Every structure is written in structure tokens, then in C-alpha cells.
Amino acid sequence: MTDPEMSVTPYWELTFDADGDVNGKQRDRLLAGVADRKVGDLIVFAHGWNNDRSIATRLYSRFFAPFPQLVPGARLGYVGVLWPSMRFSDEPIPDFPRSVAAEMSQQSALDKDTRHSLLETFPGRATVIDQIARMLDQQPREEAELEEFGRLVRLLVEVVPPGPQALFAADTLAEGVPQSEPRMFSGSAATACEEFAQALAGLESPGGTASFSLPNPWKGAQELLRQATYYAMKRRAGTVGERGLGRVVGQLAKDVPHARVHLVGHSFGGRLVSFALRGLPEGVRTVKSVTLLQGAFSHYAFAARLPHDARAGGVLQGQQNRIDGPMVCCHSHHDSALGTMYPLASRMADDDRTVLGLNVGGMLGDKWGAMGHKGMRAVPGTRALKLADALKKGKLPASGCVNVDAAAVVKRGGPPAGAHSDIAHRELAQVVLAAGRVA
């Protein structure tokens, strides 16, 4: 398949809906194409939070561009995974011109593009979205109005969905403890909005500049909406990975057993490809590497036991053993989206203690930290490498887990997201190829 926006060939797309159902025609074209083109190594990339095909395709084109020159003798094929996620208009877009990104960051929380994204991401919720937009515009002062805003947000994202989908939002599981709704929704919405507002104020004034007024809680309300949307996308990424991509990779292993698969995921796409391991049919060993780029899920997701709770483990514990090769987690301390807002939202989803006064990079970041900020944790035998060392021949292990500090290249971006989307680098393409032993 060719695409005018794509820099490499052969390239295929796989489009999934929110329940993980794949576009059957695209799947069949992929299966037939990999066989006909005698593809030896298939690079499968899943994007993070955006719902625009052109944005995802642009990211894939930029990331894939160095591959043919890096391994000219390899018979490569490329897959771009498209799934219905959500990007707010003020969030950074991978490889987007800074002037455009700066202009977009000045837009209101629910401008035309954001409303359109919400309507597409949550079909059938138009009335609720209109009510949310009206409250954000009016910003009433009464605390009861913030509580009503929280109720509407909860209704929008369907916090506890029907069926087993709630499990796909979990990063850790305690034995014998049933899944429940995030506490940021079951507790006081006004308190949650105030805490988010103060965290955002801290990002805007990282030096701790004194302020004589409390942050506007309605700024926190915007962040509550954003984090609620992320929670829904977190659940959706797991669903699409296990029920969608995992099954397609299994079918590929059956139809084209010689094809070696290398899974790559950015942000929530890292979560998606990780859950795909849970969806692999028994005995499938064609996944030769998994590379997580700024993964937006718990750094304990693969842990058998949590350091702070021996009853609990990661929801993906042991899944790294489904890979016939290494799992590589690329992380960067420059990613402030994962270093600050992710642990704050995770704490507010899973614990009812106040976050104010805690060091986000310390206690809070340690317990509720993200994979893409400081790497995976509590997985015995995990190695740690600097990017330069990981690129040396033979340095990446042939199996097991490895954290690669990619801060040397993943560093561009301002608040609030920092370097979260700064991933289109030749060095990271080299990491993918090295992890998969592609030559």
C-alpha cells in the first residue's frame, strides 16, 4: 500500500474502533501484503492521544523515515495503528511547528476543534458536551456548580462502563479487591478542581514564584475534563490492544509465520501495544521486540509485586515473557506531562489522600509515576542504559526488560507537556532496530 503522506513502503494501516474491532479489509490487505512482499520484519507503531489520521500519519512518516537507510538489506514492512483517542487543541502535536503549537495553546479549552474531538470520541453525548462547555464559559462561583461540572464529566466518560472494560483502565491490581471507579470522580469535584489548578500553577511558575491569590478552580476544571478523557483513553487503549491488535498479530503469525513483528507505542500507544501481548493466542512467538516511547502508564504495570503493597501487582505482570526478545522502555525526565500531571491524576484516581505539599518528583512520582518519565520499576533483572550505550552494538539485551534514558534527544517542549511528543529521532529508530536485532 502506498500513501502520499508516507515516507516508506510497503506501508499498511490498521484502524480499530473503541471496542477493539478492526477494519476487516485493512487487516486482510495487511495479511496478504506481508506474504506477497515477503516481509521479514514488520514494524507496528501505535500513536498516543490524538484522533486525527493526518497527525498520526505524519508522526509515522517522520519516525519511519530513517529505517530504510539504517538497514538497507532488511525486508521491512510498516504498519500504522489508528484508534479513536482524543487530543485537546492546546496539547503538543508530534513534529508540529512551534509557532502553530504556540498559537493553539492560546485557544480556549473547548474551542471548535476540541468540541469536535469530544463529539467524535464520545458519540451520543452532544447534550452533555454542550452543558460542560457552557459551564466552562460561565465559570459560576458556587462550589455546587463545580460539583455539577464533575457529575457531567463523569457522565461523559462513563467512568464505570458496562461489561469488562473497567479492567482495561487498571495499571495495578490487588488480590481480592474489585475494580472501582476513580476517586477523582467519587470524591469532591470541587476539591479535585482546586488541586489540579494548584498543580497547573506550579508548572507555569516552576521557580515557586509567590502568589497572593488562589488559582482559579475552573482552570482545574478544564484539567479534570482532560484527565477524565485521558482515563477513558487509557481504558480504550487497553481494549484496542488486547481485543484488537493482539488478535491481528496472532492471525498474522498463523498466516505468515516467517514475519518477525516489532511493536512500538508512543504515550497511550505504549499501553496499547503492551496490552496486545495479553491478546496474543497461546504459543505465538512472532513478537520479537516491544519499544515503549514515553509510555503513559504506570511504571509498575509489569511488576509482580508492588513495593508499597505486597498484595498488588501490575496488570501486565509477566506479559514481557510473551516477547521473543526484549522489552525496551525509553524515558525522559524532560517529559513534564508524565512527571507532574500523570502522577497527580493517578493519585486522584486511586487514592483519597491530599496531594498538596507532596513532592511530585518524590513520594507522589514514586508511587504513581509513569513508565515514560523514569522507566519501568519492580521487574527483577531490568537493565538500565543511557541512549548512547544502548546504540552500541550488542549492548541491548537479547531478552528481558531494559530502561533506556532517552533524555539526550527527548527534550524539546514547554509546559505543561514538556518533551512528551519529542520522539521523531533517528536515534530512537535505531533503538527499535537494535531491540529487534534487525539488520
Side-chain angles (χ1 to χ4, degrees), residues 23 43 174 299:
N23 180 306
I43 316 295
H299 53 208

Side-chain angles (χ1 to χ4, degrees), residues 46-278:
H47 64 77
W49 51 62
N50 71 70
N51 66 342
D52 187 314
R53 177 187 176 274
S54 65
I55 292 174
T57 302
R58 181 173 181 172
L59 170 62
Y60 297 154
S61 181
R62 288 281 293 165
F63 191 83
F64 288 149
F67 280 70
Q69 293 180 344
L70 290 171
V71 283
R75 300 188 67 88
L76 294 178
Y78 308 87
V79 175
V81 173
L82 301 175
W83 61 286
S85 61
M86 165 79 192
R87 184 190 65 81
F88 278 67
S89 64
D90 61 345
E91 291 168 355
I93 300 174
D95 197 43
F96 223 65
R98 292 187 180 184
S99 59
V100 177
E103 178 182 337
M104 293 178 74
S105 69
Q106 301 302 315
Q107 298 176 1
S108 62
L110 286 186
D111 60 19
K112 180 179 67 174
D113 291 338
T114 302
R115 288 189 190 211
H116 178 71
S117 294
L118 284 169
L119 288 168
E120 284 199 338
T121 305
F122 303 104
R125 296 288 197 274
T127 301
V128 175
I129 292 169
D130 287 343
Q131 289 175 294
I132 287 173
R134 190 177 308 114
M135 296 192 77
L136 285 174
D137 287 340
Q138 295 174 351
Q139 299 190 8
R141 295 184 179 182
E142 295 80 6
E143 183 174 307
E145 297 297 331
L146 282 169
E147 298 297 344
E148 172 62 11
F149 180 84
R151 186 191 71 81
L152 291 171
V153 169
R154 186 182 187 281
L155 180 62
L156 172 68
V157 302
E158 195 174 19
V159 175
V160 181
Q165 287 199 45
L167 181 62
F168 292 110
D171 278 1
T172 59
L173 294 172
E175 296 176 2
V177 178
Q179 288 297 110
S180 60
E181 68 178 28
R183 297 193 183 186
M184 76 167 84
F185 304 118
S186 61
S188 167
T191 299
C193 292
E194 290 167 1
E195 294 192 17
F196 277 130
Q198 293 195 37
L200 288 169
L203 281 177
E204 293 170 358
S205 302
T209 304
S211 174
F212 295 101
S213 61
L214 292 174
N216 181 357
W218 283 99
K219 281 194 173 182
Q222 294 177 10
E223 188 62 31
L224 178 65
L225 173 61
R226 188 194 311 267
Q227 294 296 345
T229 302
Y230 290 171
Y231 178 81
M233 295 308 100
K234 178 180 178 181
R235 182 176 66 212
R236 190 171 291 180
T239 304
V240 173
E242 181 170 334
R243 295 188 168 186
L245 182 59
R247 293 176 180 177
V248 173
V249 173
Q251 186 65 46
L252 182 68
K254 179 181 177 182
D255 292 5
V256 196
H258 69 267
R260 305 168 74 248
V261 177
H262 310 280
L263 302 178
V264 183
H266 170 235
S267 188
F268 276 147
R271 182 184 186 84
L272 190 156
V273 299
S274 296
F275 269 79
L277 298 173
R278 273 199 346 188

Side-chain angles (χ1 to χ4, degrees), residues 282-293:
E282 191 68 31
V284 169
R285 302 292 292 173
T286 55
V287 176
K288 302 301 179 180
S289 67
V290 174
T291 305
L292 309 177
L293 304 173

Side-chain angles (χ1 to χ4, degrees), residues 403-427:
N403 289 321
V404 174
D405 185 347
V409 296
V410 181
K411 58 185 178 181
R412 295 180 302 165
H420 186 67
S421 294
D422 185 22
I423 60 166
H425 295 283
R426 181 184 180 90
E427 293 87 347

Side-chain angles (χ1 to χ4, degrees), residues 1-12 33 37 39 41-43 60-61 64-65 67-68 74-79:
M1 176 181 177
T2 59
D3 189 301
E5 299 179 64
M6 188 50 56
S7 60
V8 294
T9 189
Y11 169 75
W12 297 274
R37 301 291 288 264
V39 171
D41 290 277
L42 189 68
I43 316 295
Y60 297 154
S61 181
F64 288 149
F67 280 70
R75 300 188 67 88
L76 294 178
Y78 308 87
V79 175

